[in-house]
Amino acid sequence: MKRLATMLALLLATPAPAFAAEAAAASPKFNALDTLWVLLAAVLVFFMQAGFGMLEAGLIRAKNAANVLMKNVMDFSFAALGFFAFGYAIMFGGDGALVGDSGWFLIDAKSAADGVPVEVFWLFQAVFAGTAATIVSGSVAERFRFKSYMVVSFIVTAFLYPVVGHWVWGGGWLSAMNFHDFAGSTVVHAVGGSFALVAAWMVGPRLGYFRKDGSASPIPGHSLPLATLGVFILWVGWYGFNAGSTLSMSDPETVGRVAINTTLAPAGGAMSAMIIAWFRFGKPDLTIALNGVLGGLVGITAPCAVVSPVSSLVIGIVAGAVVVFGVDLLNRAKIDDPVGAIPVHGMCGVFGTLAVGIWGQKALGAPLDGLLMGGGASQLGVQALGTASCVGFALVSAFILLKAVEMTMGLRVEEATELRGLDVDEHGLEAYGGFQIFTNE
Amino acid sequence: MKRLATMLALLLATPAPAFAAEAAAASPKFNALDTLWVLLAAVLVFFMQAGFGMLEAGLIRAKNAANVLMKNVMDFSFAALGFFAFGYAIMFGGDGALVGDSGWFLIDAKSAADGVPVEVFWLFQAVFAGTAATIVSGSVAERFRFKSYMVVSFIVTAFLYPVVGHWVWGGGWLSAMNFHDFAGSTVVHAVGGSFALVAAWMVGPRLGYFRKDGSASPIPGHSLPLATLGVFILWVGWYGFNAGSTLSMSDPETVGRVAINTTLAPAGGAMSAMIIAWFRFGKPDLTIALNGVLGGLVGITAPCAVVSPVSSLVIGIVAGAVVVFGVDLLNRAKIDDPVGAIPVHGMCGVFGTLAVGIWGQKALGAPLDGLLMGGGASQLGVQALGTASCVGFALVSAFILLKAVEMTMGLRVEEATELRGLDVDEHGLEAYGGFQIFTNE
Amino acid sequence: MKRLATMLALLLATPAPAFAAEAAAASPKFNALDTLWVLLAAVLVFFMQAGFGMLEAGLIRAKNAANVLMKNVMDFSFAALGFFAFGYAIMFGGDGALVGDSGWFLIDAKSAADGVPVEVFWLFQAVFAGTAATIVSGSVAERFRFKSYMVVSFIVTAFLYPVVGHWVWGGGWLSAMNFHDFAGSTVVHAVGGSFALVAAWMVGPRLGYFRKDGSASPIPGHSLPLATLGVFILWVGWYGFNAGSTLSMSDPETVGRVAINTTLAPAGGAMSAMIIAWFRFGKPDLTIALNGVLGGLVGITAPCAVVSPVSSLVIGIVAGAVVVFGVDLLNRAKIDDPVGAIPVHGMCGVFGTLAVGIWGQKALGAPLDGLLMGGGASQLGVQALGTASCVGFALVSAFILLKAVEMTMGLRVEEATELRGLDVDEHGLEAYGGFQIFTNE
Amino acid sequence: MKMVVAVVRPEQLPAIKDALFAVEVRQFTVTTALGTAPRAEQRMYRGIEQQVALHQRIRLELAVDDAALDTVLGALREGAQAQGGHGKVFISELADVMTLWDGKRGSDSL
Amino acid sequence: MKMVVAVVRPEQLPAIKDALFAVEVRQFTVTTALGTAPRAEQRMYRGIEQQVALHQRIRLELAVDDAALDTVLGALREGAQAQGGHGKVFISELADVMTLWDGKRGSDSL
Amino acid sequence: MKMVVAVVRPEQLPAIKDALFAVEVRQFTVTTALGTAPRAEQRMYRGIEQQVALHQRIRLELAVDDAALDTVLGALREGAQAQGGHGKVFISELADVMTLWDGKRGSDSL
Ligand SMILES: Nc1ncnc2c1ncn2[C@@H]1O[C@H](COP(=O)(O)OP(=O)(O)O)[C@@H](O)[C@H]1O
Ligand SMILES: Nc1ncnc2c1ncn2[C@@H]1O[C@H](COP(=O)(O)OP(=O)(O)O)[C@@H](O)[C@H]1O
Ligand SMILES: Nc1ncnc2c1ncn2[C@@H]1O[C@H](COP(=O)(O)OP(=O)(O)O)[C@@H](O)[C@H]1O
């Protein structure tokens, strides 16, 4: 105990001079407006945690709702710690082609955004890391062991996500290749979706989701009001996610273009997902429309700064279609993804990254004009390479990580726990305790 | 398909140079701080969609909750599209007395806010249009056909709302007359409330809402926690709605006055609605207090910049009373408005507009001093004329539109659908699927 | 009526010139960026009302949910009024050692933040007052009479909270002593928690909470999704609460440090509360983790600007432990606090205030280096004195106030009302009306 | 005495309640239930087929005197007809009734 | 064997449960129900009159041996008295009982 | 006719439903219930002990012809076995049945 205390005291003291020195020397170099913008954008992105929590809880059964909420609360907490201690250093600690390696615990860390203090820039990046992590909780909901999830989540945000982040945004090999992913269709969503895919596949489908004949059998979400609230919150947060990725207000027009695109794409996604589902399945399904909104948002995340509003509408419309077909595809592949995280984040993330190479405009800041903008396929090639590399890394590293966890702690709860619900067995409570009658006393 | 693709490609390409050119030439003219302010205000207003969704879902029965949420999600999506393609051009495309006519699809469109890029200004206006549209969904909840609602909603935001908007804010005849509606008591709320009134009247009351003897029989909301959350979210969003309508931070004090008034008026509305209801009906009713908050917010929307804080408190108090009596009046008029949209938005919208002519102060920016401020009745006259014209236009155009929809697609669901709930019959799902027991498999 | 009207007219008119004059003379002295920052921070803090509402409603039984929501809506409304009429004058109206005494109804009131108009500064302070008030509603939930609560709440925000506020932030005796409470661990939370403690103790435990043998018997919350949403909203709002307390963007780095600390401390709180509860009680309890988040947030509120990120993580971890042991302690003390308001706000508030004297760094702006930073115990002494005085004042004044209310109006509802639920008896409605079946018609 | 259990659709409840009140039957117990329908309903949820076999139903329980049985059954039928006439009634013998307040037994306690 | 159905107010459940446990009756089934009250309650919701005819009730179902009937009824009464003594009990003959685990029939399976 | 009431765990419902459908029993009524368990479960909620005495259960009600009774009981057993074999069945005499649509009485209306 005593030694621990001494060590802690040292750690507490160490950063002080570092920070103080920076404060004294650096203050004039900060831009107050840019700092405010990035900070508020980070707060908006943080709010997305609530959105994911409500969406995921709403789309699953009541008996597992507290479990998924607990995962959402805790994975952000662990993400904050992991990204503080290790993640930021790996992602932004220098120009190594593969990983960064300085600024552990933010000591002597530098901001990658001019004029924005490292603490604020860190926060903006930390909430992104949290988003990447939390995508997984949805796809493995209702069956993944809580303790194992915590371990996976911590390693993802502290070590895996930052590697990809370094490649694209931290000065790694992909940034050197003019790979363009403005706000993270690949870095956050396709990568998060890939983790989600591997995890959902390895943990297996929920009991009862696939019938004996192999066809899927729906397990309806227990609260669509919560799910809808979640999507609206996510949409709100996405303005911070995309527009905040400008990291500066020095170019109001780009900020504006990002904002309008972040409106039209999800609108298009909602419309196309709803209409396609209406034609194919007979009725306009609310959960599909919600996934369509998110698909549109994910799809526009990479190209939001470099495409015109009309293009963003088209991107959203295509993303909405991707979602509907993706949901179908997963069912055929016998993968059970209760909230649609894989089509929304994984597939639309890849599509959005490619969209830069299709609809991107050099005049708006894209490295090259896209395929439909008369620029040929070069940028599309770069985008494909980039997203394939990141997704590949995510798939492989997730597989290794999950395999290790499976062999040591196990991925899946007992069958009896799954039947009763994870809330009672893993957390000793019910999401709606006494809502029916009081079960105790 | 091929022709469609070609057309699309053209549309995608067209705006590019336009936007690019503007970017090159105009960047210096943008004010970064004002842009940030308007953008964040727009995000706050966008959040109100979630507020309306939760409020409306909470105040109706569970069996129709998914339907009303779907309407909220989709009407904003269609509003975004309609206001992008047509609405903005009608509202801000030039100085015509009646309508604007340039800037379709935002091509070569101009911002009406100095220093704020058109994309950001568009977004701020688009979320206002979305608000006007979504007001209707509450008043016709639990019985209006989904498909017909989508058509109505699209036409309202793309064509009807922008006309009124043009008159007051877009350089039309009312702006020329010094009609003062700072943030839209008339443009958004009274007009939205008028659409809501016509729609609720034409679609008729819910089965069972009026007893055979003509008296109303309550149909309680199924989740007051959701409704309360909705109101808090709306209040949050209203800071963007009202204060953001300054469109600039160049006058911090006006922004501040708007903000304090947007606090005191709803507080006053909550207090007076609660107390009046307490005296009249015997108990302090939460739903009435919530409507009181909203009444106060709507009431202060027009005068928020030009009245003193004490006046705003008084305006809120009166608005709270308007809500209570308005709810009563509608029941007597045999109109069924499940969420109180008509008293809140329609009646308080008109009252708030008139309030400018009563409590407005020239020293604070009103065109003239109001009646109680020693300025006589002239401004009140202008306000009455303005709000009457806008409401009149809304009532008539809504009647024509709804008549046309009634004759072609029908306004109301089948009786069997209404009895079972719109969720199952129109969307094939339940808002709380399996919350009781799993109904399938 | 007529006299009332005349008086009102006078009041409405009076402030006009005052405000107008200030507007004319003062405009140049305002800083637009700072104003925007404080305004947006105030909006974030206002949003916390929704967070408290959802948290409290979720952690109690459904039959009392509407009552606690009504208290949340109305206590903010009354807080706004009370803080406008009296509170601000007491808190910021001059340099008296004990109370301020000018600026009633904000007439000729001055802002205590350079460059920020008084209306905006007022709003920021008013939402803080609202927070202090609303803490009480949770600890007395499910049994406190609505009418009495309103009276208590109004007096707290109009008169009691402002006194403490004046001591620390308004130029009173504690600010003169270099007592450091950056964003209100003591002023808002320990004081609010003290009111909550006295109120919970005087109103007594809920029927059935303590068994005959004196041990506590749980009454589970009826909706953990709502509670979790509430905590996420509170966390979002806390960025405004803490970082906004800079009252300016002139020092981006301090803002950034506050922001990162406001992330790491709650993350630490969640982790330690969860892990300790897991070890002690066998399972990771979601409600404890949620309280841990809040404990971390409250704990970092005072020291957020003057400690390093590592220290903030440690502070959060300790706060999480304080929460777990605090919950236990209250049960032993036979005090029933349904939502954990007293451990979270009261105990962590005191701890956070002391933390300034332990981990505070002079280089970062603390008056002196803290105990663990090599500065000895002097600052810790000041912090202890300050928090003890404020808590002492709160305890005593709350006792007198509640005694008076108890003797005149009574604190507690009838037993029959408590058994049936406060919603039906006090408000004539149900939080989930007809969710089961329609009870009327 | 008889225990009459009727299972009907939710939308039928108001009319049935009125019909019962009209014949002065003012005491019964209602629970929400799920019931089978003549044929399963097909729904599509997120693009996959769902066989909905159980539907929202209302279960009414009425303890009645033998003499009142026919009146009650008549009222149930009349009320049910107002909304489609769906539903079934199950009748069984009731051995005894007791009021918890005074412990009184027998048909007077109904 | 008898099937005892008691309909009481929610606040009565804890005491009734304790009373049943006290006489070693540890097996029963509980459902939420709505029940009629002696007179309809008047409420105002959003300013309009609401006749609330159905109130939250709890329905307990206990299958008991004939020999245990009086003990159970006594426990129900005692438990109910603790909170106002409201509620009614309906008693009917139970023909048989079966445990699903082993298919055993008869009163041993209670 | 018999009224068969089975009280089982929620996770047993799907298999029981399938087993009933398999023997062409397609009519029944389901309610959520809380039931007692062999022993109370200990939970810790916010650090205090909670004795959970009532657990989520499902209550099935089936009115069947005397001739069909054994088939139904068999199906219930078979379905229940798929998930642990928990649960109990209560069987009582059913005096009559009526269809509300046409007022038809007797076992044809089942
Ligand atoms: N044999 C039976 N046993 C138990 N419950 C039954 C039986 N037959 C019908 N029911 C219940 O009665 C309800 C109404 O039956 P019916 O009128 O045939 O169906 P519907 O309402 O779909 O037209 C069913 O949904 C079911 O819950
Ligand atoms: N004849 C009856 N048939 C069915 N249920 C009955 C009958 N009489 C009473 N009940 C049920 O028993 C409950 C309790 O009855 P009682 O004690 O008379 O009412 P209360 O609890 O309002 O004092 C009622 O709410 C009702 O649900
Ligand atoms: N004597 C009884 N009276 C009423 N209900 C009973 C009785 N015995 C058992 N039950 C109900 O049947 C359910 C299942 O019983 P059992 O199989 O013994 O329990 P479990 O499912 O916990 O193994 C219980 O939870 C209870 O609701």
Side-chain angles (χ1 to χ4, degrees), chain C residues 47 77 82 100 201 226 260 300 307 323 380 391 414 427 439:
Chain C
F47 193 27
S77 297
W201 168 65
L226 280 190
I260 191 174
I300 202 62
V307 299
V323 165
L380 187 55
V391 165
E414 306 294 318
H427 305 289
T439 50

Side-chain angles (χ1 to χ4, degrees), chain D residues 27-29 61-63 110, chain E residues 7 9 35-38 57 86-88 90:
Chain D
Q27 299 264 58
F28 46 89
T29 304
E61 221 170 347
L62 305 105
L110 277 180
Chain E
V7 185
R9 303 193 172 188
T36 45
R57 293 289 179 265
H86 305 276
K88 269 192 201 167
F90 307 95

Side-chain angles (χ1 to χ4, degrees), chain D residues 7 9 34-38 57 86-88 90, chain F residues 27-29 61-63 110:
Chain D
V7 184
R9 304 193 172 186
L34 294 174
T36 45
R57 294 288 179 267
H86 305 277
K88 269 192 202 169
F90 306 95
Chain F
Q27 299 265 57
F28 46 90
T29 304
E61 222 170 347
L62 305 104
L110 277 182

Side-chain angles (χ1 to χ4, degrees), chain E residues 27-29 61-63 110, chain F residues 7 9 35-38 57 86-88 90:
Chain E
Q27 299 264 58
F28 45 90
T29 305
E61 221 170 350
L62 304 105
L110 280 180
Chain F
V7 185
R9 304 194 171 187
T36 46
R57 292 289 179 266
H86 305 278
K88 271 192 200 167
F90 306 95

Side-chain angles (χ1 to χ4, degrees), chain A residues 311-395:
Chain A
S311 298
S312 82
L313 191 61
V314 175
I315 291 170
I317 288 170
V318 177
V322 168
V323 165
V324 181
F325 293 102
V327 165
D328 225 52
L329 199 69
L330 280 179
N331 283 331
R332 278 172 218 278
K334 303 276 161 294
I335 291 171
D336 175 16
D337 173 9
V339 307
I342 299 163
V344 163
H345 299 280
M347 300 185 195
C348 291
V350 169
F351 164 67
T353 312
L354 300 180
V356 173
I358 302 174
W359 289 276
Q361 298 183 32
K362 210 170 163 190
L364 302 177
L368 295 172
D369 275 327
L371 193 63
L372 289 180
M373 297 296 124
S378 342
Q379 187 63 32
L380 187 56
V382 176
Q383 298 298 113
L385 175 69
T387 196
S389 317
C390 295
V391 166
F393 172 81
L395 293 175

Side-chain angles (χ1 to χ4, degrees), chain B residues 135-158:
Chain B
I135 289 169
V136 181
S137 59
S139 76
V140 299
E142 310 206 69
R143 57 209 194 279
F144 207 95
R145 202 178 274 275
F146 177 68
K147 210 188 275 190
S148 308
Y149 177 79
M150 286 296 98
V151 171
V152 169
S153 179
F154 181 80
I155 292 174
V156 162
T157 41

